[in-house]
Short mmCIF file of all heavy atoms in Angstrom, two decimals:
data_model
loop_
_atom_site.label_atom_id
_atom_site.label_comp_id
_atom_site.label_asym_id
_atom_site.label_seq_id
_atom_site.Cartn_x
_atom_site.Cartn_y
_atom_site.Cartn_z
N MET Q 64 -0.59 -13.49 3.03
CA MET Q 64 0.68 -13.10 3.58
C MET Q 64 1.13 -14.06 4.68
O MET Q 64 2.30 -14.27 4.86
CB MET Q 64 0.61 -11.68 4.13
CG MET Q 64 0.45 -10.62 3.08
SD MET Q 64 1.90 -10.61 2.03
CE MET Q 64 1.43 -9.42 0.85
N GLY Q 65 0.14 -14.59 5.37
CA GLY Q 65 0.47 -15.54 6.43
C GLY Q 65 1.17 -16.77 5.90
O GLY Q 65 2.11 -17.27 6.52
N ARG Q 66 0.74 -17.26 4.74
CA ARG Q 66 1.37 -18.45 4.15
C ARG Q 66 2.81 -18.18 3.74
O ARG Q 66 3.62 -19.10 3.68
CB ARG Q 66 0.58 -18.93 2.95
CG ARG Q 66 -0.70 -19.66 3.37
CD ARG Q 66 -1.41 -20.21 2.18
NE ARG Q 66 -2.22 -19.11 1.65
CZ ARG Q 66 -2.59 -18.97 0.41
NH1 ARG Q 66 -2.26 -19.86 -0.48
NH2 ARG Q 66 -3.32 -17.95 0.03
N LEU Q 67 3.13 -16.93 3.47
CA LEU Q 67 4.50 -16.57 3.11
C LEU Q 67 5.37 -16.31 4.33
O LEU Q 67 6.56 -16.06 4.20
CB LEU Q 67 4.50 -15.31 2.23
CG LEU Q 67 3.84 -15.45 0.86
CD1 LEU Q 67 3.75 -14.07 0.19
CD2 LEU Q 67 4.61 -16.41 -0.01
N GLY Q 68 4.73 -16.34 5.50
CA GLY Q 68 5.48 -16.06 6.72
C GLY Q 68 5.61 -14.57 7.00
O GLY Q 68 6.41 -14.15 7.83
N TRP Q 69 4.82 -13.76 6.33
CA TRP Q 69 4.91 -12.31 6.48
C TRP Q 69 3.80 -11.75 7.36
O TRP Q 69 3.69 -10.54 7.54
CB TRP Q 69 4.85 -11.61 5.13
CG TRP Q 69 6.02 -11.86 4.25
CD1 TRP Q 69 7.05 -12.72 4.45
CD2 TRP Q 69 6.27 -11.24 2.99
NE1 TRP Q 69 7.91 -12.67 3.40
CE2 TRP Q 69 7.47 -11.78 2.49
CE3 TRP Q 69 5.60 -10.29 2.25
CZ2 TRP Q 69 8.01 -11.38 1.28
CZ3 TRP Q 69 6.14 -9.90 1.04
CH2 TRP Q 69 7.34 -10.44 0.57
N GLY Q 70 2.93 -12.59 7.89
CA GLY Q 70 1.79 -12.13 8.67
C GLY Q 70 2.16 -11.22 9.82
O GLY Q 70 1.43 -10.29 10.14
N GLY Q 71 3.28 -11.46 10.45
CA GLY Q 71 3.72 -10.65 11.58
C GLY Q 71 3.99 -9.20 11.23
O GLY Q 71 3.96 -8.33 12.09
N HIS Q 72 4.25 -8.93 9.98
CA HIS Q 72 4.54 -7.56 9.54
C HIS Q 72 3.29 -6.69 9.48
O HIS Q 72 3.39 -5.47 9.42
CB HIS Q 72 5.19 -7.55 8.16
CG HIS Q 72 6.53 -8.18 8.13
ND1 HIS Q 72 7.62 -7.65 8.76
CD2 HIS Q 72 6.95 -9.33 7.56
CE1 HIS Q 72 8.66 -8.44 8.57
NE2 HIS Q 72 8.28 -9.47 7.84
N PHE Q 73 2.14 -7.32 9.45
CA PHE Q 73 0.92 -6.56 9.19
C PHE Q 73 0.03 -6.39 10.42
O PHE Q 73 -1.11 -6.00 10.29
CB PHE Q 73 0.14 -7.22 8.04
CG PHE Q 73 0.93 -7.21 6.77
CD1 PHE Q 73 1.64 -8.32 6.37
CD2 PHE Q 73 1.01 -6.05 6.02
CE1 PHE Q 73 2.40 -8.29 5.21
CE2 PHE Q 73 1.78 -6.03 4.87
CZ PHE Q 73 2.47 -7.14 4.46
N GLY Q 74 0.59 -6.63 11.60
CA GLY Q 74 -0.18 -6.50 12.82
C GLY Q 74 -0.75 -5.10 13.02
O GLY Q 74 -1.87 -4.93 13.46
N GLY Q 75 0.00 -4.07 12.68
CA GLY Q 75 -0.46 -2.70 12.85
C GLY Q 75 -0.96 -2.06 11.58
O GLY Q 75 -1.21 -0.86 11.54
N LEU Q 76 -1.14 -2.86 10.54
CA LEU Q 76 -1.54 -2.31 9.25
C LEU Q 76 -2.89 -1.61 9.33
O LEU Q 76 -3.05 -0.51 8.81
CB LEU Q 76 -1.58 -3.41 8.19
CG LEU Q 76 -1.94 -2.96 6.78
CD1 LEU Q 76 -0.91 -1.97 6.26
CD2 LEU Q 76 -2.03 -4.16 5.86
N ALA Q 77 -3.85 -2.23 9.99
CA ALA Q 77 -5.18 -1.62 10.07
C ALA Q 77 -5.11 -0.25 10.72
O ALA Q 77 -5.75 0.70 10.27
CB ALA Q 77 -6.13 -2.54 10.84
N ALA Q 78 -4.32 -0.12 11.77
CA ALA Q 78 -4.19 1.17 12.44
C ALA Q 78 -3.54 2.21 11.53
O ALA Q 78 -3.92 3.38 11.53
CB ALA Q 78 -3.38 1.02 13.73
N GLN Q 79 -2.57 1.79 10.74
CA GLN Q 79 -1.89 2.72 9.84
C GLN Q 79 -2.79 3.19 8.71
O GLN Q 79 -2.61 4.29 8.19
CB GLN Q 79 -0.62 2.07 9.27
CG GLN Q 79 0.44 1.87 10.32
CD GLN Q 79 1.63 1.10 9.78
OE1 GLN Q 79 1.48 0.11 9.08
NE2 GLN Q 79 2.81 1.57 10.12
N LEU Q 80 -3.74 2.37 8.33
CA LEU Q 80 -4.64 2.73 7.24
C LEU Q 80 -6.01 3.16 7.75
O LEU Q 80 -6.94 3.30 6.97
CB LEU Q 80 -4.78 1.54 6.27
CG LEU Q 80 -3.48 1.09 5.62
CD1 LEU Q 80 -3.73 -0.13 4.75
CD2 LEU Q 80 -2.86 2.21 4.81
N ASP Q 81 -6.12 3.38 9.04
CA ASP Q 81 -7.39 3.78 9.65
C ASP Q 81 -7.94 5.03 8.97
O ASP Q 81 -7.22 5.99 8.72
CB ASP Q 81 -7.19 4.06 11.14
CG ASP Q 81 -8.49 4.34 11.85
OD1 ASP Q 81 -9.49 3.68 11.52
OD2 ASP Q 81 -8.51 5.22 12.73
N GLY Q 82 -9.19 5.00 8.65
CA GLY Q 82 -9.84 6.14 8.01
C GLY Q 82 -9.84 6.09 6.50
O GLY Q 82 -10.48 6.92 5.86
N ALA Q 83 -9.14 5.14 5.91
CA ALA Q 83 -9.07 5.06 4.45
C ALA Q 83 -10.33 4.45 3.86
O ALA Q 83 -10.64 4.71 2.70
CB ALA Q 83 -7.86 4.25 4.01
N PHE Q 84 -11.07 3.69 4.66
CA PHE Q 84 -12.28 3.04 4.17
C PHE Q 84 -13.45 3.34 5.09
O PHE Q 84 -13.29 3.45 6.30
CB PHE Q 84 -12.07 1.52 4.08
CG PHE Q 84 -11.02 1.15 3.09
CD1 PHE Q 84 -9.70 0.99 3.49
CD2 PHE Q 84 -11.33 0.98 1.76
CE1 PHE Q 84 -8.71 0.67 2.57
CE2 PHE Q 84 -10.35 0.65 0.83
CZ PHE Q 84 -9.03 0.51 1.24
N GLY Q 85 -14.62 3.47 4.51
CA GLY Q 85 -15.84 3.70 5.27
C GLY Q 85 -16.34 2.43 5.91
O GLY Q 85 -15.80 1.34 5.68
N ALA Q 86 -17.39 2.54 6.70
CA ALA Q 86 -17.96 1.38 7.39
C ALA Q 86 -18.44 0.31 6.40
O ALA Q 86 -18.46 -0.87 6.72
CB ALA Q 86 -19.11 1.83 8.28
N ASP Q 87 -18.80 0.74 5.19
CA ASP Q 87 -19.28 -0.21 4.18
C ASP Q 87 -18.15 -0.82 3.35
O ASP Q 87 -18.37 -1.59 2.43
CB ASP Q 87 -20.30 0.44 3.26
CG ASP Q 87 -19.73 1.61 2.48
OD1 ASP Q 87 -18.55 1.99 2.70
OD2 ASP Q 87 -20.46 2.17 1.65
N GLY Q 88 -16.90 -0.45 3.65
CA GLY Q 88 -15.74 -1.02 2.96
C GLY Q 88 -15.30 -0.28 1.72
O GLY Q 88 -14.33 -0.67 1.08
N THR Q 89 -15.99 0.81 1.37
CA THR Q 89 -15.59 1.57 0.19
C THR Q 89 -14.53 2.60 0.58
O THR Q 89 -14.47 3.06 1.72
CB THR Q 89 -16.79 2.29 -0.45
OG1 THR Q 89 -17.37 3.17 0.50
CG2 THR Q 89 -17.81 1.30 -0.96
N PHE Q 90 -13.70 2.94 -0.38
CA PHE Q 90 -12.64 3.91 -0.14
C PHE Q 90 -13.26 5.27 0.20
O PHE Q 90 -14.19 5.72 -0.47
CB PHE Q 90 -11.73 4.03 -1.37
CG PHE Q 90 -10.56 4.93 -1.12
CD1 PHE Q 90 -9.49 4.51 -0.36
CD2 PHE Q 90 -10.54 6.22 -1.62
CE1 PHE Q 90 -8.42 5.35 -0.11
CE2 PHE Q 90 -9.47 7.06 -1.39
CZ PHE Q 90 -8.41 6.62 -0.63
N ALA Q 91 -12.73 5.92 1.22
CA ALA Q 91 -13.28 7.19 1.70
C ALA Q 91 -12.58 8.37 1.02
O ALA Q 91 -11.69 9.00 1.57
CB ALA Q 91 -13.12 7.28 3.22
N HIS Q 92 -13.01 8.67 -0.20
CA HIS Q 92 -12.40 9.76 -0.97
C HIS Q 92 -12.54 11.11 -0.28
O HIS Q 92 -11.72 12.00 -0.51
CB HIS Q 92 -13.04 9.84 -2.37
CG HIS Q 92 -12.70 8.68 -3.24
ND1 HIS Q 92 -11.52 8.61 -3.94
CD2 HIS Q 92 -13.37 7.54 -3.50
CE1 HIS Q 92 -11.48 7.47 -4.62
NE2 HIS Q 92 -12.59 6.81 -4.37
N ASP Q 93 -13.55 11.26 0.54
CA ASP Q 93 -13.76 12.53 1.22
C ASP Q 93 -12.80 12.73 2.38
O ASP Q 93 -12.66 13.84 2.89
CB ASP Q 93 -15.21 12.66 1.70
CG ASP Q 93 -15.61 11.57 2.68
OD1 ASP Q 93 -15.10 10.43 2.56
OD2 ASP Q 93 -16.43 11.86 3.57
N ARG Q 94 -12.10 11.67 2.80
CA ARG Q 94 -11.15 11.76 3.92
C ARG Q 94 -9.70 11.67 3.49
O ARG Q 94 -8.81 12.09 4.21
CB ARG Q 94 -11.43 10.65 4.93
CG ARG Q 94 -12.70 10.88 5.70
CD ARG Q 94 -12.86 9.83 6.76
NE ARG Q 94 -14.04 9.06 6.40
CZ ARG Q 94 -14.24 7.81 6.69
NH1 ARG Q 94 -13.34 7.13 7.35
NH2 ARG Q 94 -15.34 7.20 6.34
N LEU Q 95 -9.45 11.08 2.34
CA LEU Q 95 -8.08 10.82 1.92
C LEU Q 95 -8.02 10.72 0.40
O LEU Q 95 -8.86 10.06 -0.21
CB LEU Q 95 -7.62 9.48 2.53
CG LEU Q 95 -6.21 8.98 2.27
CD1 LEU Q 95 -5.19 9.92 2.92
CD2 LEU Q 95 -6.05 7.58 2.84
N ARG Q 96 -7.03 11.38 -0.18
CA ARG Q 96 -6.86 11.27 -1.63
C ARG Q 96 -6.33 9.88 -1.96
O ARG Q 96 -5.48 9.34 -1.25
CB ARG Q 96 -5.87 12.32 -2.14
CG ARG Q 96 -6.36 13.72 -2.04
CD ARG Q 96 -5.39 14.78 -2.53
NE ARG Q 96 -4.01 14.34 -2.63
CZ ARG Q 96 -3.18 14.69 -3.61
NH1 ARG Q 96 -3.58 15.48 -4.58
NH2 ARG Q 96 -1.95 14.25 -3.63
N PHE Q 97 -6.84 9.31 -3.05
CA PHE Q 97 -6.43 7.96 -3.45
C PHE Q 97 -4.93 7.89 -3.68
O PHE Q 97 -4.28 6.93 -3.26
CB PHE Q 97 -7.20 7.53 -4.70
CG PHE Q 97 -6.92 6.11 -5.11
CD1 PHE Q 97 -7.38 5.06 -4.34
CD2 PHE Q 97 -6.19 5.84 -6.25
CE1 PHE Q 97 -7.12 3.74 -4.70
CE2 PHE Q 97 -5.93 4.53 -6.62
CZ PHE Q 97 -6.40 3.48 -5.85
N VAL Q 98 -4.35 8.90 -4.31
CA VAL Q 98 -2.91 8.88 -4.58
C VAL Q 98 -2.10 8.87 -3.28
O VAL Q 98 -1.05 8.26 -3.21
CB VAL Q 98 -2.46 10.03 -5.50
CG1 VAL Q 98 -3.04 9.88 -6.88
CG2 VAL Q 98 -2.81 11.39 -4.93
N ASP Q 99 -2.60 9.56 -2.24
CA ASP Q 99 -1.91 9.54 -0.95
C ASP Q 99 -2.01 8.16 -0.30
O ASP Q 99 -1.05 7.67 0.30
CB ASP Q 99 -2.49 10.60 -0.02
CG ASP Q 99 -2.21 12.01 -0.50
OD1 ASP Q 99 -1.23 12.21 -1.25
OD2 ASP Q 99 -2.99 12.92 -0.14
N PHE Q 100 -3.18 7.53 -0.42
CA PHE Q 100 -3.37 6.18 0.10
C PHE Q 100 -2.41 5.21 -0.58
O PHE Q 100 -1.73 4.42 0.09
CB PHE Q 100 -4.83 5.75 -0.11
CG PHE Q 100 -5.08 4.30 0.16
CD1 PHE Q 100 -5.12 3.83 1.46
CD2 PHE Q 100 -5.26 3.40 -0.87
CE1 PHE Q 100 -5.36 2.48 1.72
CE2 PHE Q 100 -5.50 2.06 -0.63
CZ PHE Q 100 -5.54 1.61 0.67
N VAL Q 101 -2.33 5.26 -1.88
CA VAL Q 101 -1.45 4.35 -2.63
C VAL Q 101 0.01 4.59 -2.24
O VAL Q 101 0.78 3.64 -2.07
CB VAL Q 101 -1.67 4.51 -4.15
CG1 VAL Q 101 -0.64 3.72 -4.94
CG2 VAL Q 101 -3.07 4.07 -4.53
N ASP Q 102 0.39 5.84 -2.06
CA ASP Q 102 1.75 6.16 -1.64
C ASP Q 102 2.04 5.56 -0.26
O ASP Q 102 3.11 4.99 -0.04
CB ASP Q 102 1.94 7.68 -1.63
CG ASP Q 102 3.37 8.08 -1.33
OD1 ASP Q 102 4.30 7.56 -2.00
OD2 ASP Q 102 3.57 8.89 -0.41
N ASP Q 103 1.09 5.67 0.67
CA ASP Q 103 1.26 5.10 2.00
C ASP Q 103 1.41 3.58 1.94
O ASP Q 103 2.26 3.01 2.63
CB ASP Q 103 0.07 5.45 2.90
CG ASP Q 103 0.02 6.92 3.29
OD1 ASP Q 103 1.02 7.63 3.08
OD2 ASP Q 103 -1.04 7.35 3.79
N VAL Q 104 0.61 2.93 1.12
CA VAL Q 104 0.70 1.47 0.98
C VAL Q 104 2.04 1.08 0.39
O VAL Q 104 2.68 0.13 0.83
CB VAL Q 104 -0.47 0.91 0.15
CG1 VAL Q 104 -0.26 -0.57 -0.15
CG2 VAL Q 104 -1.79 1.12 0.88
N GLU Q 105 2.52 1.84 -0.61
CA GLU Q 105 3.82 1.53 -1.18
C GLU Q 105 4.92 1.63 -0.13
O GLU Q 105 5.82 0.80 -0.07
CB GLU Q 105 4.13 2.45 -2.36
CG GLU Q 105 5.48 2.10 -3.00
CD GLU Q 105 5.82 2.96 -4.19
OE1 GLU Q 105 5.73 4.20 -4.09
OE2 GLU Q 105 6.18 2.38 -5.22
N GLU Q 106 4.84 2.64 0.73
CA GLU Q 106 5.83 2.78 1.79
C GLU Q 106 5.80 1.59 2.75
O GLU Q 106 6.85 1.10 3.18
CB GLU Q 106 5.62 4.09 2.55
CG GLU Q 106 6.02 5.31 1.73
CD GLU Q 106 5.75 6.61 2.46
OE1 GLU Q 106 5.71 6.60 3.71
OE2 GLU Q 106 5.61 7.63 1.78
N LEU Q 107 4.59 1.12 3.08
CA LEU Q 107 4.48 -0.06 3.93
C LEU Q 107 5.09 -1.29 3.26
O LEU Q 107 5.79 -2.07 3.89
CB LEU Q 107 3.00 -0.33 4.26
CG LEU Q 107 2.31 0.70 5.14
CD1 LEU Q 107 0.82 0.44 5.19
CD2 LEU Q 107 2.89 0.68 6.54
N LEU Q 108 4.82 -1.46 1.97
CA LEU Q 108 5.40 -2.59 1.23
C LEU Q 108 6.91 -2.50 1.14
O LEU Q 108 7.61 -3.51 1.22
CB LEU Q 108 4.78 -2.68 -0.16
CG LEU Q 108 3.32 -3.06 -0.22
CD1 LEU Q 108 2.81 -2.95 -1.66
CD2 LEU Q 108 3.09 -4.45 0.33
N GLU Q 109 7.42 -1.29 0.96
CA GLU Q 109 8.88 -1.10 0.92
C GLU Q 109 9.51 -1.49 2.25
O GLU Q 109 10.59 -2.09 2.27
CB GLU Q 109 9.22 0.34 0.56
CG GLU Q 109 8.97 0.66 -0.89
CD GLU Q 109 9.17 2.12 -1.23
OE1 GLU Q 109 9.33 2.95 -0.30
OE2 GLU Q 109 9.17 2.45 -2.43
N GLU Q 110 8.84 -1.16 3.36
CA GLU Q 110 9.36 -1.53 4.67
C GLU Q 110 9.40 -3.05 4.83
O GLU Q 110 10.37 -3.61 5.33
CB GLU Q 110 8.52 -0.90 5.78
CG GLU Q 110 8.97 -1.25 7.17
CD GLU Q 110 10.40 -0.82 7.48
OE1 GLU Q 110 10.87 0.20 6.92
OE2 GLU Q 110 11.07 -1.52 8.27
N VAL Q 111 8.36 -3.74 4.38
CA VAL Q 111 8.35 -5.20 4.44
C VAL Q 111 9.47 -5.76 3.56
O VAL Q 111 10.19 -6.67 3.97
CB VAL Q 111 6.98 -5.77 4.00
CG1 VAL Q 111 7.04 -7.28 3.83
CG2 VAL Q 111 5.91 -5.39 5.01
N ALA Q 112 9.63 -5.22 2.37
CA ALA Q 112 10.69 -5.69 1.47
C ALA Q 112 12.07 -5.47 2.08
O ALA Q 112 12.95 -6.33 1.97
CB ALA Q 112 10.58 -4.98 0.12
N ARG Q 113 12.25 -4.34 2.75
CA ARG Q 113 13.53 -4.06 3.42
C ARG Q 113 13.81 -5.10 4.49
O ARG Q 113 14.93 -5.62 4.60
CB ARG Q 113 13.48 -2.66 4.05
CG ARG Q 113 14.55 -1.73 3.61
CD ARG Q 113 14.60 -0.41 4.35
NE ARG Q 113 13.36 0.19 4.79
CZ ARG Q 113 12.57 0.98 4.05
NH1 ARG Q 113 12.90 1.25 2.82
NH2 ARG Q 113 11.47 1.50 4.55
N ARG Q 114 12.79 -5.41 5.29
CA ARG Q 114 12.98 -6.38 6.37
C ARG Q 114 13.20 -7.80 5.85
O ARG Q 114 14.02 -8.54 6.38
CB ARG Q 114 11.76 -6.39 7.29
CG ARG Q 114 11.70 -5.22 8.21
CD ARG Q 114 10.60 -5.43 9.23
NE ARG Q 114 9.77 -4.24 9.24
CZ ARG Q 114 8.54 -4.18 9.65
NH1 ARG Q 114 7.92 -5.26 10.07
NH2 ARG Q 114 7.87 -3.05 9.63
N GLU Q 115 12.44 -8.18 4.83
CA GLU Q 115 12.49 -9.56 4.35
C GLU Q 115 13.65 -9.82 3.39
O GLU Q 115 14.24 -10.88 3.42
CB GLU Q 115 11.18 -9.92 3.65
CG GLU Q 115 10.02 -10.06 4.59
CD GLU Q 115 10.23 -11.19 5.59
OE1 GLU Q 115 10.66 -12.29 5.20
OE2 GLU Q 115 9.96 -10.95 6.78
N GLN Q 116 13.91 -8.86 2.51
CA GLN Q 116 14.90 -9.10 1.46
C GLN Q 116 16.07 -8.14 1.52
O GLN Q 116 17.00 -8.26 0.74
CB GLN Q 116 14.22 -8.99 0.09
CG GLN Q 116 13.12 -10.00 -0.09
CD GLN Q 116 12.39 -9.84 -1.40
OE1 GLN Q 116 12.65 -8.94 -2.19
NE2 GLN Q 116 11.45 -10.71 -1.66
N GLY Q 117 16.01 -7.16 2.42
CA GLY Q 117 17.07 -6.18 2.52
C GLY Q 117 17.08 -5.20 1.36
O GLY Q 117 18.07 -4.49 1.17
N ASP Q 118 16.00 -5.15 0.61
CA ASP Q 118 15.97 -4.31 -0.58
C ASP Q 118 14.56 -3.77 -0.82
O ASP Q 118 13.67 -4.50 -1.23
CB ASP Q 118 16.41 -5.12 -1.80
CG ASP Q 118 16.46 -4.32 -3.07
OD1 ASP Q 118 16.37 -3.08 -3.03
OD2 ASP Q 118 16.58 -4.95 -4.14
N GLU Q 119 14.38 -2.48 -0.56
CA GLU Q 119 13.05 -1.89 -0.73
C GLU Q 119 12.62 -1.81 -2.19
O GLU Q 119 11.45 -1.65 -2.49
CB GLU Q 119 12.98 -0.50 -0.11
CG GLU Q 119 13.76 0.57 -0.84
CD GLU Q 119 13.65 1.92 -0.18
OE1 GLU Q 119 13.82 2.00 1.04
OE2 GLU Q 119 13.42 2.88 -0.90
N GLU Q 120 13.56 -1.96 -3.11
CA GLU Q 120 13.23 -1.86 -4.53
C GLU Q 120 12.34 -3.01 -4.99
O GLU Q 120 11.77 -2.96 -6.07
CB GLU Q 120 14.49 -1.76 -5.37
CG GLU Q 120 15.20 -0.43 -5.14
CD GLU Q 120 16.41 -0.24 -6.02
OE1 GLU Q 120 16.52 -0.95 -7.04
OE2 GLU Q 120 17.23 0.61 -5.68
N ALA Q 121 12.20 -4.04 -4.15
CA ALA Q 121 11.30 -5.15 -4.49
C ALA Q 121 9.86 -4.66 -4.59
O ALA Q 121 9.03 -5.28 -5.26
CB ALA Q 121 11.40 -6.26 -3.45
N ALA Q 122 9.55 -3.52 -3.97
CA ALA Q 122 8.20 -2.96 -4.01
C ALA Q 122 8.09 -1.82 -5.02
O ALA Q 122 7.00 -1.25 -5.17
CB ALA Q 122 7.78 -2.46 -2.62
N ASP Q 123 9.16 -1.50 -5.69
CA ASP Q 123 9.11 -0.42 -6.69
C ASP Q 123 8.12 -0.75 -7.78
O ASP Q 123 7.95 -1.89 -8.17
CB ASP Q 123 10.49 -0.20 -7.33
CG ASP Q 123 11.37 0.70 -6.49
OD1 ASP Q 123 10.89 1.23 -5.48
OD2 ASP Q 123 12.54 0.87 -6.86
N GLY Q 124 7.46 0.24 -8.25
CA GLY Q 124 6.51 0.07 -9.33
C GLY Q 124 5.08 -0.12 -8.85
O GLY Q 124 4.15 -0.02 -9.64
N PHE Q 125 4.89 -0.39 -7.55
CA PHE Q 125 3.54 -0.61 -7.03
C PHE Q 125 2.66 0.61 -7.25
O PHE Q 125 1.57 0.51 -7.81
CB PHE Q 125 3.58 -0.96 -5.54
CG PHE Q 125 2.22 -1.00 -4.90
CD1 PHE Q 125 1.41 -2.11 -5.04
CD2 PHE Q 125 1.74 0.08 -4.17
CE1 PHE Q 125 0.16 -2.15 -4.47
CE2 PHE Q 125 0.49 0.06 -3.60
CZ PHE Q 125 -0.30 -1.06 -3.75
N GLU Q 126 3.15 1.76 -6.83
CA GLU Q 126 2.35 2.99 -6.93
C GLU Q 126 2.01 3.30 -8.39
O GLU Q 126 0.86 3.57 -8.73
CB GLU Q 126 3.10 4.16 -6.31
CG GLU Q 126 2.32 5.45 -6.30
CD GLU Q 126 3.05 6.56 -5.56
OE1 GLU Q 126 4.24 6.40 -5.22
OE2 GLU Q 126 2.41 7.59 -5.33
N GLU Q 127 2.99 3.21 -9.27
CA GLU Q 127 2.77 3.48 -10.69
C GLU Q 127 1.74 2.51 -11.27
O GLU Q 127 0.84 2.90 -11.99
CB GLU Q 127 4.09 3.38 -11.45
CG GLU Q 127 3.94 3.66 -12.92
CD GLU Q 127 5.26 3.48 -13.67
OE1 GLU Q 127 6.32 3.58 -13.06
OE2 GLU Q 127 5.18 3.22 -14.88
N TYR Q 128 1.88 1.24 -10.93
CA TYR Q 128 0.95 0.22 -11.44
C TYR Q 128 -0.49 0.52 -11.00
O TYR Q 128 -1.42 0.52 -11.82
CB TYR Q 128 1.37 -1.17 -10.97
CG TYR Q 128 0.36 -2.23 -11.30
CD1 TYR Q 128 0.34 -2.82 -12.56
CD2 TYR Q 128 -0.60 -2.61 -10.37
CE1 TYR Q 128 -0.60 -3.78 -12.89
CE2 TYR Q 128 -1.55 -3.57 -10.69
CZ TYR Q 128 -1.55 -4.15 -11.95
OH TYR Q 128 -2.49 -5.09 -12.27
N VAL Q 129 -0.67 0.75 -9.71
CA VAL Q 129 -2.02 0.99 -9.19
C VAL Q 129 -2.63 2.24 -9.79
O VAL Q 129 -3.78 2.23 -10.23
CB VAL Q 129 -2.00 1.07 -7.65
CG1 VAL Q 129 -3.34 1.56 -7.12
CG2 VAL Q 129 -1.66 -0.28 -7.05
N LEU Q 130 -1.87 3.31 -9.84
CA LEU Q 130 -2.41 4.55 -10.39
C LEU Q 130 -2.76 4.41 -11.88
O LEU Q 130 -3.77 4.92 -12.33
CB LEU Q 130 -1.46 5.71 -10.16
CG LEU Q 130 -1.27 6.12 -8.70
CD1 LEU Q 130 -0.24 7.23 -8.58
CD2 LEU Q 130 -2.59 6.51 -8.07
N ARG Q 131 -1.92 3.71 -12.60
CA ARG Q 131 -2.18 3.53 -14.03
C ARG Q 131 -3.44 2.69 -14.26
O ARG Q 131 -4.24 2.98 -15.14
CB ARG Q 131 -0.98 2.85 -14.69
CG ARG Q 131 -1.07 2.82 -16.19
CD ARG Q 131 0.15 2.27 -16.92
NE ARG Q 131 1.38 2.34 -16.19
CZ ARG Q 131 2.08 1.25 -15.84
NH1 ARG Q 131 1.67 0.05 -16.13
NH2 ARG Q 131 3.22 1.37 -15.18
N HIS Q 132 -3.63 1.66 -13.44
CA HIS Q 132 -4.74 0.74 -13.66
C HIS Q 132 -6.04 1.14 -12.98
O HIS Q 132 -7.11 0.77 -13.46
CB HIS Q 132 -4.35 -0.66 -13.22
CG HIS Q 132 -3.41 -1.32 -14.18
ND1 HIS Q 132 -2.05 -1.10 -14.16
CD2 HIS Q 132 -3.65 -2.13 -15.21
CE1 HIS Q 132 -1.50 -1.78 -15.14
NE2 HIS Q 132 -2.43 -2.42 -15.79
N TYR Q 133 -5.97 1.90 -11.89
CA TYR Q 133 -7.19 2.19 -11.14
C TYR Q 133 -7.55 3.67 -11.09
O TYR Q 133 -8.71 3.99 -10.86
CB TYR Q 133 -7.09 1.64 -9.73
CG TYR Q 133 -6.95 0.15 -9.73
CD1 TYR Q 133 -5.73 -0.46 -9.48
CD2 TYR Q 133 -8.04 -0.66 -10.04
CE1 TYR Q 133 -5.60 -1.83 -9.51
CE2 TYR Q 133 -7.91 -2.04 -10.07
CZ TYR Q 133 -6.70 -2.61 -9.80
OH TYR Q 133 -6.57 -3.97 -9.85
N ALA Q 134 -6.60 4.54 -11.28
CA ALA Q 134 -6.90 5.98 -11.22
C ALA Q 134 -6.83 6.64 -12.59
O ALA Q 134 -7.10 7.81 -12.72
CB ALA Q 134 -5.94 6.68 -10.25
N GLY Q 135 -6.42 5.89 -13.59
CA GLY Q 135 -6.35 6.43 -14.94
C GLY Q 135 -5.17 7.35 -15.18
O GLY Q 135 -5.14 8.06 -16.16
N ASP Q 136 -4.18 7.32 -14.28
CA ASP Q 136 -2.98 8.15 -14.47
C ASP Q 136 -1.93 7.39 -15.26
O ASP Q 136 -1.83 6.23 -15.23
CB ASP Q 136 -2.39 8.55 -13.12
CG ASP Q 136 -3.24 9.59 -12.42
OD1 ASP Q 136 -4.18 10.10 -13.05
OD2 ASP Q 136 -2.98 9.86 -11.24
#
């Protein structure tokens, strides 16, 4: 993201996703549902798209793609 000039948008990303991963880096299913995590990430991407391109639809499809490929939905 830094090479694209978007690094500044992600300064608070770790804080926003705090608790989503355990100390070993695995997703913490016992603390957060995967679908809720994916929804939160899509919202963050939409905000970046709004700021950079003026159009949040640039991030549309992220949630559907991830759920279809990783959650079997």
Side-chain angles (χ1 to χ4, degrees):
M64 292 296 176
R66 284 184 276 153
L67 295 172
W69 293 7
H72 295 292
F73 298 99
L76 182 61
Q79 291 174 317
L80 299 177
D81 186 38
F84 297 92
D87 62 356
T89 59
F90 185 75
H92 291 278
D93 61 327
R94 289 185 245 151
L95 181 66
R96 292 180 341 141
F97 185 70
V98 294
D99 293 335
F100 170 75
V101 172
D102 186 52
D103 290 347
V104 172
E105 182 178 50
E106 288 178 24
L107 293 170
L108 292 174
E109 287 174 350
E110 179 59 31
V111 170
R113 237 187 325 274
R114 284 189 231 158
E115 289 298 315
Q116 300 176 357
D118 182 11
E119 71 180 47
E120 292 184 19
D123 276 354
F125 172 80
E126 183 175 10
E127 181 183 336
Y128 172 83
V129 170
L130 293 177
R131 189 175 337 118
H132 286 83
Y133 297 104
D136 288 351

